[in-house]
Amino acid sequence: MRRAFRIHHDPAPGETVQLVVDYLPEAMRPIGDGWWEANADVGEDSVYYYRAVADDGSVTRIDHGRPRRPLGEYVIIDRWRPADPARMARHSTLFKIGIGRHWPEARGASGLRLTLRLHEPSIRPGSRVAVIGSDPSLGAWDESGARRMTASPFPWWTLTVDLERPDEPGRYSYLIVDDAGTIIHRESDQLPLPPCPTSTVVTDERLRGLPDWRGTGVAVPVFSLRTARSFGVGDFADLAAFGQWASQCGISVIRILPLNDTISHHRWTDSNPYRPISVQALHPLYTDVRDLPGFGDLGADVMVLGTDLNAGSDVDYERVIRAKLNILRDVFDASEPDPQAVAFAEEHWDWLGPYAYWCTLRDRHGTPDMSAWGADAVFDPARLEAAKSDAEHRDLEFWCWVQFHLHRQLTSAVEQVHRLGIAIEGDLPIGVAVNGVETWTHPELFLGGRRAGTPPDGNAIRGRDWGVTTYDWDAMAADGYAWWKGRFVAMGRYADAYRIGQVSAFFRVWEIPEGAVDGLLGVLRPCRPLNREELMTHLPGADIAWLSRPTIDMDVLHRRFGATAPAVRERCFTGDAAALRFSDSLGSQAAIVDASEAGAFDGLGNRATVTRHLLDLRADAPLMEVPGGHHPRASWQATEAYQRLAPHERDAFDVMAIDFFHHRHTGLWRAQGMRTLPAVTDVTPLLPCGEDLAMVPEMVPALMADLGVLRVAVERTPERPGEWRSDPGDAPYLSVVTPDTHDMAPIRLWWSEARSAARRYWSEVLGGSGDAPLEATPDVCTAIVGSHLASPAMLAMFQLQDLLATVPGAAGPDPTNERINDPAVADHRWRYRCHLAVSDLPVRDWSRR
């Protein structure tokens, strides 16, 4: 298709403008009044952008944003796009599919003189965009003749007119009008329009002078929802009901925790939603069993069981998942083949087949450990095909059938939420289960024996071991990140935005080596270890070997173990009393755990306490040997060896370690982030939001902004060293501000647990006099929530518990029951369930209009 492209741009002296179609540049010619024109052949899948070049051919400026796509009109008129990181976010699915349902879609006519297209998501329900201009068809600047635009689809606004004077240059401007036609905003500038003698489309990126869109979000795990028809846990039907409540409260976005299947052992340890066995499959926990065909035939006992489970104050994960899987199996066994389910399995067999086979083998062998599966320890597509016709084929069909109904139910729930003009934000677990479908079918994409986690922070003093794998980014890049693309296609079926739980992992990962238990012993990857010459420069005369092993003597043992110290020494250590070393059988933290479980420490006191002290001693060295040199241990100041250094040696160690963690790798990590993060975020139009709670590399926020990734700013975990809180009033627009996250105590629990912080907040932030109240009253919670609602950030996100705490009488009776996750507990039970049914949630206006 031959198209004429025009753009209005005033280049610097010596500059010319180029049109770049499918990454091939073509010179444009000036046609007067600042307009440049070029003709080019484009296809349906072509992309293009503009750039300015100097006399020597070097590129001086680039039309900012993702490449454009040509429309069907003969002449395409564009505006030069200055650098605007918010553009990527404004073009995301969150506005188009989620919030956009406030406006019925109506496409303008085509083939006429002029089509104006405006991308503007900051229009509130009850308003719309209109156009006024110099041509009589646009009112000849008489505001009563302004032409209203249609959402086509939102956030795009379209108007097609037949100009009365198409051969003359003109000007136009945008207005916002309400339903009654009253003008509520006028654009101050008039935009130039060249002669349009043939069919022309003009694209504008935003309406000038209009405040940016700002929305409110509520974060809630689906499993925590409660309705009268639930079956012991929130399900997908409950999500649709929750959307109705959110709509009444002026909420724009619902954030949910991951919905992926995590069933490894059929035990409560599977309740952690961040250890997915499949990044495609949905968790059977969320099945609305009452919606299954044939559920009513199962008998009264099932109804009684559902009522009993639903009456619990918490989620009883083991009972609920066992009951739901039994119901699913009974309904499946009693039903005839469903053509829709069969078609779904055929369409998605590339991931659904391996998933169903993995589940079958897990249950057949009684373990998710693939190494115990004999001939199936290594995935073989031929064996999967053979299983489709052997005695286990019904098991394959069962798991495919379950996924069909989960997909059907979640799709329906999301559609109902979208009809209300509310977007869904999903959650992207940064890793996958060590033993899962992905590591079985694509082991080459993961680094075996190593796990991802986080370094220590205020919420987990020993760091976190997520129990998930780390990625081999080189292997993923080799096939164009196909695995990530498939993952985002799956997420895009149900979400409009997504949260990356540890976005820094795309720059560098905190990798916990084999044999370690605590995140405290993690190392950075990629990194440049300190070589011996560098160590001696920072620490002249230091005993590097001494700094690289735990410093343990009888004084240390007495402080840890008291009266049992001699017995502990006898059983666990060798060497002189002034320089003890762990016995060979306790050479790693994992070996200590194994010995504890085997009863090796019985008689030394409380087993858990003794084991914890030994694990801490095993990690008590300020330096760690790694391939290529040494790596400072996180929280090095807490180690015995560091404490025994002279003051000037401690100062020197601090300088070395701070530089290592915060400055040494800036260029390396930025290059890694530029390689991996765009490859992931550009796969999908979903709006990405990145969150980090520990040791954030200094270049991360700026690079996220450049890529249009919203930064999650948590008030209680400031990114800048030396600050005790992150003021939501200082957050940039490309942010999500929140008082806390699901990994933290909600406001009421934090207020009672962290009394010194609460007192400081009371006096310095809230301006209270006297001592802080012992409990966070509704007024206190309202003030905290209100400061976030007033933030300039794009989104203010709140846990449901925090919103309820602002309403007198609505909060739960015991704030300790409102914690969703305690990251300091490796196998925390994820069981929080809202004490109120969705139908009983208080309705308040939490909008940010």
Side-chain angles (χ1 to χ4, degrees), residues 216-548:
T216 305
V218 58
V220 61
V222 172
F223 61 72
S224 71
L225 298 175
R226 184 190 297 272
T227 65
R229 68 189 306 279
S230 302
F231 208 88
V233 66
D235 58 38
F236 291 146
D238 297 336
L239 176 61
F242 185 71
Q244 292 282 351
W245 170 82
S247 176
Q248 295 175 289
C249 297
I251 288 170
S252 307
V253 180
I254 297 174
R255 173 190 284 174
I256 55 180
L257 295 188
L259 302 175
N260 302 101
D261 190 351
T262 60
I263 302 174
S264 290
H265 300 92
H266 294 283
R267 296 184 60 243
W268 64 264
T269 49
D270 299 339
S271 65
N272 185 343
Y274 289 91
R275 294 177 188 166
I277 62 160
S278 168
V279 297
Q280 299 267 359
L282 298 170
H283 203 308
L285 182 74
Y286 302 111
T287 309
D288 177 7
V289 292
R290 300 180 192 274
D291 176 62
L292 295 173
F295 173 80
D297 301 330
L298 295 182
D301 289 347
V302 173
M303 307 300 179
V304 172
L305 175 60
T307 301
D308 179 55
L309 290 172
N310 215 32
S313 58
D314 298 329
V315 174
D316 188 334
Y317 178 86
E318 288 190 1
R319 287 187 69 203
V320 172
I321 192 60
R322 182 167 58 247
K324 287 200 172 186
L325 286 176
N326 287 338
I327 291 169
L328 285 162
R329 181 69 74 168
D330 289 344
V331 172
F332 171 75
D333 289 342
S335 63
E336 296 294 326
D338 185 336
Q340 289 184 304
V342 172
F344 177 83
E346 292 176 351
E347 180 182 358
H348 298 279
W349 186 253
D350 59 333
W351 67 264
L352 187 51
Y355 162 77
Y357 194 34
W358 188 94
C359 292
T360 299
L361 293 169
R362 172 202 60 204
D363 294 345
R364 179 194 299 172
H365 294 282
T367 177
D369 183 357
M370 287 94 71
S371 65
W373 290 359
D376 286 303
V378 176
F379 175 67
D380 183 351
R383 290 183 65 82
L384 169 58
E385 289 302 310
K388 292 168 65 175
S389 58
D390 69 9
E392 302 293 337
H393 74 278
R394 285 289 288 172
D395 288 329
L396 296 180
E397 292 170 2
F398 168 71
W399 291 109
C400 293
W401 178 85
V402 169
Q403 287 301 310
F404 163 71
H405 283 290
L406 286 166
H407 168 74
R408 177 180 61 82
Q409 292 176 356
L410 180 54
T411 300
S412 174
V414 170
E415 177 60 27
Q416 291 178 66
V417 172
H418 278 166
R419 286 193 202 121
L420 301 167
I422 296 177
I424 298 289
E425 180 182 354
D427 205 314
L428 182 77
I430 195 61
V432 299
V434 173
N435 287 305
V437 180
E438 271 71 36
T439 56
W440 186 49
T441 56
H442 298 288
E444 72 282 359
L445 300 180
F446 306 93
L447 297 172
R450 289 170 277 184
R451 306 177 309 284
T454 60
D457 60 23
N459 299 303
I461 61 173
R462 296 180 181 90
R464 303 178 181 92
D465 178 355
W466 296 332
V468 298
T469 58
T470 56
Y471 301 127
D472 186 334
W473 286 108
D474 291 335
M476 289 182 161
D479 65 356
Y481 302 95
W483 183 80
W484 278 104
K485 292 176 181 177
R487 188 175 189 182
F488 277 106
V489 167
M491 178 165 279
R493 297 185 193 117
Y494 317 112
D496 312 296
Y498 60 93
R499 166 188 168 273
I500 305 173
Q502 290 291 331
V503 71
S504 287
F506 287 93
F507 298 79
R508 55 95 183 113
V509 69
W510 189 254
E511 190 173 78
I512 301 169
E514 195 167 10
V517 170
D518 295 328
L520 193 67
L521 291 178
V523 296
L524 295 164
R525 185 175 63 82
C527 82
R528 293 191 296 112
L530 294 162
N531 59 40
R532 187 169 187 84
E533 181 180 342
E534 290 175 306
L535 287 173
M536 298 313 296
T537 299
H538 286 283
L539 307 169
D543 186 343
I544 303 303
W546 176 69
L547 291 171
S548 303

Side-chain angles (χ1 to χ4, degrees), residues 18-21 23-27 51:
Q18 291 181 341
L19 168 70
V20 184
V21 176
Y23 307 103
L24 297 176
E26 183 166 338
R51 67 187 189 186

Side-chain angles (χ1 to χ4, degrees), residues 187-206:
E187 193 173 37
S188 58
D189 297 333
Q190 295 180 4
L191 298 170
L193 187 68
C196 303
T198 187
S199 182
T200 302
V201 61
V202 177
T203 300
D204 291 309
E205 284 290 330
R206 68 184 310 158

